[in-house]
Amino acid sequence: EDQKALNKMEPNEPIAPEVLRKLGIAYWKMDAESFTYPVKSVPWDPSKAVDPKLSKIRDDRGYSYADIITVHPDHLPGYAEKVKSFFEEHIHDAEEIRYIVGGSGFFDVRDTEDRWIRVHVKKGDLMTLPEGIYHRFTTDEADMIHAMRLFVGQPVWTPFNRPCDDHVSRKHFVENYMSSSESTAPAEEKKEEETKTE
């Protein structure tokens, strides 16, 4: 399987936005055309945001740290190995926030039946993944994504590769998003996605 290919199911099964919301995923469509960001800035002070919508999301959700990276062979040393490692199925012990300011890629997330949902994120997409959700990431066939990563407090990017069902963050996710029919995730806007199977 080519991890960077679209890999749609045949026939394709569109996923309703409510499915993503019930998994704790939040999404906003941003104006990435009217504002410019550096190719790389680690860290990048989120108080410098001049986009009023981004500033409001930052303040409402308490994001105090940001950085900006470009995942591309010319900008990320060891690009091939890094992209391969990003594609290992894992969880984090904190919310994952990505604002795509350029390029595109795929986030794959597990649904409540342990099937993959492939989310094609593109310029202008801001998406959050809840703590403890099984997921993975890859660039697409264009081999470039320019992204802002936001965080509450000091950033911790440690992945915990599957299996880690006994991890406290995974238990938290299961309790909050797999044991109930409702999710509390705030999703301002809708995004149709596709499922894929392996």
Side-chain angles (χ1 to χ4, degrees), residues 130-196:
E131 171 187 351
I133 191 172
Y134 280 129
H135 67 285
R136 61 191 184 185
F137 169 78
T138 184
T139 50
D140 59 20
E141 292 170 328
D143 280 317
M144 198 286 283
I145 192 164
H146 185 198
M148 180 184 298
R149 306 186 296 184
L150 297 123
F151 206 84
V152 177
Q154 287 299 112
V156 180
W157 311 122
T158 306
F160 300 92
N161 289 347
R162 190 173 188 177
C164 52
D165 289 341
D166 291 331
H167 192 284
V168 62
S169 293
R170 180 60 187 172
K171 290 180 177 179
H172 175 80
F173 176 81
V174 170
E175 179 181 348
N176 284 277
Y177 298 109
M178 296 185 69
S179 302
S180 170
S181 61
E182 297 297 327
S183 163
T184 58
E188 286 195 349
E189 300 170 27
K190 296 182 177 180
K191 185 174 180 66
E192 293 283 345
E193 301 307 337
E194 302 123 6
T195 58
K196 78 177 195 67

Side-chain angles (χ1 to χ4, degrees), residues 11-23:
N12 187 44
E13 294 182 17
I15 294 296
E18 295 77 34
V19 173
L20 298 180
R21 283 198 292 272
K22 287 181 179 180
L23 290 171

Side-chain angles (χ1 to χ4, degrees), residues 54-65:
L54 179 59
S55 296
K56 185 177 188 306
I57 294 169
R58 175 202 66 203
D59 294 343
D60 288 351
R61 298 175 71 89
Y63 299 143
S64 54
Y65 173 92

